[in-house]
Amino acid sequence: MQANKKASVTKFLKKYGYWIGLAFSIAILITVITVAAVARPVTPDDDFTPVDTPTISFTNPVTEMTTLKTYSNTALQYNSTLKLWQAHKAVDFAADEGTEVYAVMDGKVTEVTYNYLMGNIVKLDVGGGITVVYASLASDVPVKVGDEVTKGSVIGKVSNTAKSESNDGPHLHLEVLLDGELVDPALYLDLAEK
Ligand SMILES: [Zn+2]
């Protein structure tokens, strides 16, 4: 009887063993894949975007971008108007008097002012903690505080109203504030191909 039973089990395994083994292997594989997918921890790093690699890009503030002076955070550049060496936390673009100046992004005008050193100024909040400051503009500024402007719309004209840079001729002095810090506008503008 015992031998008979053993023989039938052996017979059964010989007949179906391969398929049982295969089914077990597939079941284990599915289990492992499911557990791996479900158990994978979601860390805050998964959607972390470093601030120094901006995903936004500006449109040109003036059509022909002729860089007159680049940004420098600490390196001193000669200011021929003031006759002194200073950092220049902005980019200057040479352009003819009256050249149209454009909103580099959709944004909201937060300030329209004049000061002797930087001339007529328009500040544009473009979101993401970024404020764009346009200086040395002509006095007939077509926007006012509170205006919502669209990318590429005219927000002013180039002039030579910044007395601290007047020896450079008509130009746009463009600053970019990121969370209140003056950063290089070249982070958001492609100056090389212009
Ligand atoms: Zn400047």
Side-chain angles (χ1 to χ4, degrees):
M1 195 65 186
Q2 192 67 24
N4 250 354
K5 201 177 179 184
K6 202 176 177 184
S8 68
V9 168
T10 306
K11 199 178 164 193
F12 177 82
L13 285 176
K14 266 187 181 167
K15 198 171 179 184
Y16 300 110
Y18 171 78
W19 297 107
I20 290 166
L22 190 68
F24 263 109
S25 301
I26 290 169
I28 287 165
L29 196 65
I30 289 169
T31 305
V32 166
I33 290 168
T34 306
V35 167
V38 171
R40 184 177 158 271
V42 178
T43 67
D45 284 345
D46 284 359
D47 57 1
F48 175 70
T49 310
V51 289
D52 60 349
T53 52
T55 52
I56 65 161
S57 71
F58 292 171
T59 193
N60 295 0
V62 284
T63 306
E64 298 285 329
M65 297 215 293
T66 308
T67 307
L68 191 64
K69 198 179 268 187
T70 54
Y71 173 95
S72 66
N73 187 25
T74 52
L76 302 179
Q77 302 188 53
Y78 189 64
N79 182 323
S80 66
T81 310
L82 301 177
K83 296 182 170 49
L84 54 81
W85 291 84
Q86 58 181 190
H88 185 253
K89 297 187 182 186
V91 175
D92 288 353
F93 299 103
D96 293 337
E97 177 82 32
T99 299
E100 289 183 331
V101 174
Y102 307 114
V104 292
M105 291 281 288
D106 290 353
K108 189 174 186 177
V109 177
T110 55
E111 210 175 311
V112 178
T113 49
Y114 169 83
N115 80 52
Y116 184 79
L117 293 177
M118 294 320 301
N120 296 296
I121 299 164
V122 169
K123 290 188 183 178
L124 193 63
D125 183 343
V126 300
I130 299 168
T131 295
V132 182
V133 182
Y134 300 82
S136 197
L137 298 173
S139 58
D140 56 337
V141 173
V143 292
K144 59 184 190 307
V145 172
D147 282 359
E148 302 272 356
V149 298
T150 54
K151 194 172 186 172
S153 63
V154 177
I155 56 101
K157 286 175 184 166
V158 169
S159 190
N160 194 14
T161 57
K163 297 296 184 217
S164 65
E165 297 183 334
S166 60
N167 273 13
D168 296 327
H171 69 280
L172 169 66
H173 172 99
L174 187 83
E175 297 175 357
V176 175
L177 289 152
L178 174 63
D179 297 329
E181 294 288 324
L182 285 165
V183 297
D184 191 349
L187 286 169
Y188 305 97
L189 286 166
D190 191 357
L191 301 184
E193 72 170 32
K194 305 304 178 308

